[in-house]
């Protein structure tokens, strides 16, 4: 008697919880290849912070000291805002086009996917921060007491924080318009409470308490440490670690909220 066997189904390997360098770098390379064909997005990420700093410098052309006082803070805030905006829209575009659906059907862990996106946008954040810092220091004459490398470090951490926030909020938006709508909710309160317009200890105690848990407050504090001190201070190290820790925390939350939209 001849027996027939049913065709076997090949099961996809289940990705492990550990991050894979190969899968992460492959994801980052794919995102960078896509961005290479989108010059408007690249221009927005790389040039807009520089243009904003340039305009700010000549807005205070009659009082350069004012630019020195707030320029360092905005050197960190502008990259954070632009990276948040671009990352949230670009990631949401991947979701709505079905790209993330196809990737999640592959043996690719959520951590690999989020880390790959963060690596790709983080690479652009490095370039963006270097351009903005170089422009502010060597062309616009921003006068800082501390090392330019520390200024660059904080600007880079701020850009990475903006990238992490953009990846996170993209999970809760259904359209690019909704992604933009998250900016007033996520960015603007931090902008008002970070100490840019008035020292945080001059605020109402309730607002000061809120500002103490917002990462942009420590980004501004870190920039001010470089502005006032020649050496790396303990407060600077604390501020930089808090910003970096917030970025890692938000990336972890982004991986946790990453899910398929269809059954």
């Amino acid at each position: 008697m001849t027996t027939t066997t049913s065709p076997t189904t090949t099961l996809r390997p289940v990705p492990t919880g550990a991050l894979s360098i190969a899968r992460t770098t492959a994801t980052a390379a794919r995102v960078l290849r896509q961005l290479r064909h989108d010059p408007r997005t690249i221009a927005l990420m790389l040039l807009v912070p520089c243009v904003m700093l340039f305009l700010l410098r000549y807005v205070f052309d009659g009082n350069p000291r004012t630019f020195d006082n707030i320029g360092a803070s905005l050197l960190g805030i502008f990259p954070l805002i632009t990276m948040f905006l671009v990352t949230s829209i670009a990631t949401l575009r991947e979701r709505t086009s079905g790209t993330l659906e196809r990737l999640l059907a592959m043996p690719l862990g959520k951590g690999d996917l989020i880390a790959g996106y963060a690596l790709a946008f983080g690479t652009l954040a490095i370039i963006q921060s270097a351009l903005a810092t170089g422009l502010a220091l060597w062309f616009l004459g921003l006068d800082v007491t501390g090392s330019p490398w520390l200024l660059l470090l904080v600007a880079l951490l701020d850009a990475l924080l903006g990238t992490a926030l953009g990846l996170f909020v993209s999970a809760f938006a259904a359209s690019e318009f909704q992604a933009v709508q998250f900016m007033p909710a996520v960015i603007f309160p931090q902008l008002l409470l970070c100490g840019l317009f008035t020292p945080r200890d001059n605020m109402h105690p309730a607002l000061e308490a809120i500002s103490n848990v917002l990462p942009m407050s420590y980004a501004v504090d870190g920039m001010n440490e470089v502005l006032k001190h020649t050496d790396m201070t303990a407060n600077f190290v604390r501020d930089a670690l808090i910003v970096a820790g917030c970025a890692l925390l938000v990336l972890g939350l982004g991986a946790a909220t990453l899910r398929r939209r269809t059954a």
Side-chain angles (χ1 to χ4, degrees):
M1 182 176 64
T2 303
T3 59
T4 59
T5 58
S6 59
T8 59
T9 302
T10 302
L11 297 177
R12 296 182 183 275
V14 178
T16 61
L19 288 175
S20 165
I21 295 178
R23 292 193 295 259
T24 297
T25 54
T27 301
R30 181 190 63 80
V31 174
L32 289 173
R33 284 195 300 269
Q34 289 183 329
L35 288 174
R36 186 181 62 184
H37 300 292
D38 190 355
R40 288 177 296 182
T41 298
I42 294 177
L44 178 62
M45 283 189 287
L46 300 184
L47 299 181
V48 166
C50 295
V51 172
M52 294 296 101
L53 286 169
F54 184 86
L55 291 176
L56 185 69
R57 166 63 182 85
Y58 290 102
V59 164
F60 297 110
D61 189 44
N63 189 5
R65 193 59 194 168
T66 303
F67 177 71
D68 291 335
N69 291 334
I70 67 173
S73 299
L74 291 176
L75 184 59
I77 292 175
F78 285 156
L80 190 156
I81 293 175
T82 55
M83 292 305 296
F84 170 84
L85 184 62
V86 171
T87 305
S88 60
I89 292 176
T91 308
L92 182 65
R93 192 178 300 162
E94 296 261 274
R95 293 177 184 271
T96 56
S97 67
T99 301
L100 285 182
E101 292 286 314
R102 294 190 293 270
L103 290 173
L104 288 174
M106 299 171 62
L108 183 70
K110 292 181 179 181
D112 299 319
L113 193 61
I114 289 294
Y117 276 82
L119 180 60
F121 286 107
T123 301
L124 292 173
I126 293 174
I127 301 173
Q128 179 198 71
S129 301
L131 287 174
T133 303
L135 174 71
L137 291 176
W138 293 298
F139 185 79
L140 300 180
L142 180 66
D143 184 19
V144 295
T145 303
S147 169
W149 294 107
L150 296 180
L151 205 65
L152 175 61
L153 174 62
V154 181
L156 174 59
L157 290 176
D158 293 344
L160 293 176
L161 176 61
T163 298
L165 289 171
L167 288 170
F168 176 64
V169 303
S170 68
F172 304 100
S175 66
E176 294 181 14
F177 179 68
Q178 287 187 5
V180 175
Q181 287 180 313
F182 273 104
M183 179 174 283
V186 176
I187 299 297
F188 288 178
Q190 297 192 67
L191 187 62
L192 293 174
L193 299 177
C194 68
L196 178 65
F197 301 105
T198 185
R200 291 191 288 127
D201 53 10
N202 290 344
M203 298 178 184
H204 187 279
L207 295 181
E208 183 184 0
I210 294 173
S211 73
N212 288 335
V213 299
L214 298 177
M216 191 183 291
S217 300
Y218 297 95
V220 172
D221 288 348
M223 287 295 192
N224 288 333
E225 288 294 310
V226 180
L227 186 67
K228 298 174 182 177
H229 301 281
T230 56
D231 299 322
M232 183 187 299
T233 64
N235 287 337
F236 173 86
V237 174
R238 178 207 63 188
D239 297 333
L241 288 177
I242 289 176
V243 175
C246 288
L248 291 175
L249 175 62
V250 175
L251 283 176
L253 292 174
T257 57
L258 187 63
R259 63 189 184 280
R260 297 190 59 166
R261 293 293 181 92
T262 60

